[in-house]
mmCIF file of all heavy atoms in Angstrom:
data_model
loop_
_atom_site.group_PDB
_atom_site.id
_atom_site.type_symbol
_atom_site.label_atom_id
_atom_site.label_comp_id
_atom_site.label_asym_id
_atom_site.label_seq_id
_atom_site.Cartn_x
_atom_site.Cartn_y
_atom_site.Cartn_z
ATOM 1 N N PHE B 9 9.891 18.126 7.125
ATOM 2 C CA PHE B 9 9.136 16.932 7.206
ATOM 3 C C PHE B 9 8.155 17.097 8.396
ATOM 4 O O PHE B 9 7.301 16.187 8.645
ATOM 5 C CB PHE B 9 10.021 15.662 7.558
ATOM 6 C CG PHE B 9 11.036 15.374 6.561
ATOM 7 C CD1 PHE B 9 12.136 14.601 6.845
ATOM 8 C CD2 PHE B 9 10.819 15.691 5.277
ATOM 9 C CE1 PHE B 9 13.052 14.190 5.938
ATOM 10 C CE2 PHE B 9 11.746 15.282 4.260
ATOM 11 C CZ PHE B 9 12.771 14.574 4.498
ATOM 12 N N ARG B 10 8.302 18.176 9.219
ATOM 13 C CA ARG B 10 7.419 18.358 10.453
ATOM 14 C C ARG B 10 5.954 18.511 10.088
ATOM 15 O O ARG B 10 5.565 19.364 9.263
ATOM 16 C CB ARG B 10 7.872 19.553 11.246
ATOM 17 C CG ARG B 10 7.330 19.689 12.455
ATOM 18 C CD ARG B 10 7.673 21.022 13.187
ATOM 19 N NE ARG B 10 9.073 21.185 13.243
ATOM 20 C CZ ARG B 10 9.978 20.755 14.126
ATOM 21 N NH1 ARG B 10 9.520 19.952 15.144
ATOM 22 N NH2 ARG B 10 11.232 20.957 14.107
ATOM 23 N N ILE B 11 5.200 17.677 10.656
ATOM 24 C CA ILE B 11 3.734 17.726 10.545
ATOM 25 C C ILE B 11 3.068 18.586 11.604
ATOM 26 O O ILE B 11 2.068 19.095 11.265
ATOM 27 C CB ILE B 11 3.108 16.196 10.552
ATOM 28 C CG1 ILE B 11 3.749 15.296 9.515
ATOM 29 C CG2 ILE B 11 1.652 16.237 10.290
ATOM 30 C CD1 ILE B 11 3.620 15.680 8.155
ATOM 31 N N GLY B 12 3.640 18.494 12.722
ATOM 32 C CA GLY B 12 3.124 19.387 13.869
ATOM 33 C C GLY B 12 2.441 18.688 14.913
ATOM 34 O O GLY B 12 1.907 19.238 15.862
ATOM 35 N N HIS B 13 2.560 17.298 14.858
ATOM 36 C CA HIS B 13 2.001 16.460 15.922
ATOM 37 C C HIS B 13 3.197 15.718 16.481
ATOM 38 O O HIS B 13 3.953 15.003 15.743
ATOM 39 C CB HIS B 13 0.955 15.518 15.448
ATOM 40 C CG HIS B 13 0.181 14.812 16.543
ATOM 41 N ND1 HIS B 13 0.867 13.804 17.269
ATOM 42 C CD2 HIS B 13 -0.997 14.902 17.136
ATOM 43 C CE1 HIS B 13 0.044 13.258 18.127
ATOM 44 N NE2 HIS B 13 -1.110 13.978 18.051
ATOM 45 N N ASP B 14 3.531 15.835 17.825
ATOM 46 C CA ASP B 14 4.769 15.296 18.306
ATOM 47 C C ASP B 14 4.929 13.759 18.130
ATOM 48 O O ASP B 14 5.952 13.270 17.775
ATOM 49 C CB ASP B 14 4.765 15.530 19.849
ATOM 50 C CG ASP B 14 5.049 16.961 20.128
ATOM 51 O OD1 ASP B 14 5.462 17.775 19.207
ATOM 52 O OD2 ASP B 14 4.955 17.409 21.371
ATOM 53 N N ASP B 15 3.791 13.035 18.318
ATOM 54 C CA ASP B 15 3.886 11.515 18.116
ATOM 55 C C ASP B 15 4.215 11.119 16.685
ATOM 56 O O ASP B 15 5.007 10.350 16.306
ATOM 57 C CB ASP B 15 2.602 10.773 18.550
ATOM 58 C CG ASP B 15 2.376 10.893 20.122
ATOM 59 O OD1 ASP B 15 3.470 11.171 20.801
ATOM 60 O OD2 ASP B 15 1.375 10.692 20.548
ATOM 61 N N ILE B 16 3.495 11.862 15.762
ATOM 62 C CA ILE B 16 3.642 11.486 14.315
ATOM 63 C C ILE B 16 5.041 11.967 13.880
ATOM 64 O O ILE B 16 5.781 11.186 13.191
ATOM 65 C CB ILE B 16 2.666 12.344 13.519
ATOM 66 C CG1 ILE B 16 1.193 11.760 13.717
ATOM 67 C CG2 ILE B 16 2.901 12.184 11.933
ATOM 68 C CD1 ILE B 16 0.018 12.468 12.975
ATOM 69 N N ASP B 17 5.502 13.081 14.384
ATOM 70 C CA ASP B 17 6.881 13.466 13.927
ATOM 71 C C ASP B 17 7.967 12.572 14.525
ATOM 72 O O ASP B 17 8.962 12.312 13.858
ATOM 73 C CB ASP B 17 7.139 15.002 14.312
ATOM 74 C CG ASP B 17 6.348 15.932 13.522
ATOM 75 O OD1 ASP B 17 6.153 15.604 12.329
ATOM 76 O OD2 ASP B 17 5.969 16.993 13.920
ATOM 77 N N ALA B 18 7.775 12.219 15.802
ATOM 78 C CA ALA B 18 8.713 11.229 16.395
ATOM 79 C C ALA B 18 8.785 9.896 15.701
ATOM 80 O O ALA B 18 9.803 9.320 15.343
ATOM 81 C CB ALA B 18 8.392 11.090 17.887
ATOM 82 N N ASP B 19 7.535 9.387 15.249
ATOM 83 C CA ASP B 19 7.455 8.177 14.498
ATOM 84 C C ASP B 19 8.259 8.300 13.226
ATOM 85 O O ASP B 19 8.843 7.356 12.764
ATOM 86 C CB ASP B 19 6.086 7.887 14.173
ATOM 87 C CG ASP B 19 5.380 7.155 15.433
ATOM 88 O OD1 ASP B 19 6.095 6.804 16.444
ATOM 89 O OD2 ASP B 19 4.163 6.808 15.330
ATOM 90 N N HIS B 20 7.982 9.443 12.472
ATOM 91 C CA HIS B 20 8.748 9.596 11.263
ATOM 92 C C HIS B 20 10.174 9.549 11.481
ATOM 93 O O HIS B 20 10.890 9.062 10.537
ATOM 94 C CB HIS B 20 8.187 10.961 10.525
ATOM 95 C CG HIS B 20 6.827 10.805 10.032
ATOM 96 N ND1 HIS B 20 6.009 11.902 9.762
ATOM 97 C CD2 HIS B 20 6.040 9.726 9.821
ATOM 98 C CE1 HIS B 20 4.820 11.504 9.318
ATOM 99 N NE2 HIS B 20 4.813 10.161 9.420
ATOM 100 N N ARG B 21 10.608 10.260 12.432
ATOM 101 C CA ARG B 21 12.192 10.165 12.724
ATOM 102 C C ARG B 21 12.632 8.829 12.925
ATOM 103 O O ARG B 21 13.642 8.399 12.375
ATOM 104 C CB ARG B 21 12.462 11.012 14.018
ATOM 105 C CG ARG B 21 12.543 12.506 13.868
ATOM 106 C CD ARG B 21 12.656 13.136 15.191
ATOM 107 N NE ARG B 21 12.577 14.594 15.173
ATOM 108 C CZ ARG B 21 13.517 15.409 15.176
ATOM 109 N NH1 ARG B 21 14.845 15.003 15.194
ATOM 110 N NH2 ARG B 21 13.330 16.692 15.050
ATOM 111 N N TYR B 22 11.831 7.992 13.667
ATOM 112 C CA TYR B 22 12.247 6.616 13.916
ATOM 113 C C TYR B 22 12.233 5.803 12.682
ATOM 114 O O TYR B 22 13.167 4.900 12.402
ATOM 115 C CB TYR B 22 11.358 5.987 15.045
ATOM 116 C CG TYR B 22 11.880 4.619 15.471
ATOM 117 C CD1 TYR B 22 13.161 4.500 15.963
ATOM 118 C CD2 TYR B 22 11.060 3.521 15.386
ATOM 119 C CE1 TYR B 22 13.615 3.244 16.323
ATOM 120 C CE2 TYR B 22 11.420 2.277 15.779
ATOM 121 C CZ TYR B 22 12.757 2.080 16.244
ATOM 122 O OH TYR B 22 13.236 0.939 16.586
ATOM 123 N N LEU B 23 11.191 6.004 11.814
ATOM 124 C CA LEU B 23 11.108 5.283 10.527
ATOM 125 C C LEU B 23 12.389 5.624 9.569
ATOM 126 O O LEU B 23 12.917 4.780 8.934
ATOM 127 C CB LEU B 23 9.855 5.567 9.829
ATOM 128 C CG LEU B 23 8.593 4.946 10.424
ATOM 129 C CD1 LEU B 23 7.359 5.549 9.805
ATOM 130 C CD2 LEU B 23 8.610 3.393 10.240
ATOM 131 N N ILE B 24 12.837 6.868 9.656
ATOM 132 C CA ILE B 24 14.032 7.282 8.941
ATOM 133 C C ILE B 24 15.182 6.552 9.495
ATOM 134 O O ILE B 24 16.027 5.934 8.715
ATOM 135 C CB ILE B 24 14.279 8.791 9.027
ATOM 136 C CG1 ILE B 24 13.204 9.564 8.075
ATOM 137 C CG2 ILE B 24 15.697 9.158 8.534
ATOM 138 C CD1 ILE B 24 13.125 11.018 8.270
#
Side-chain angles (χ1 to χ4, degrees):
F9 296 159
R10 190 187 307 278
I11 304 300
H13 188 289
D14 287 349
D15 290 342
I16 294 178
D17 288 330
D19 278 356
H20 289 161
R21 281 174 188 258
Y22 187 57
L23 286 168
I24 287 172

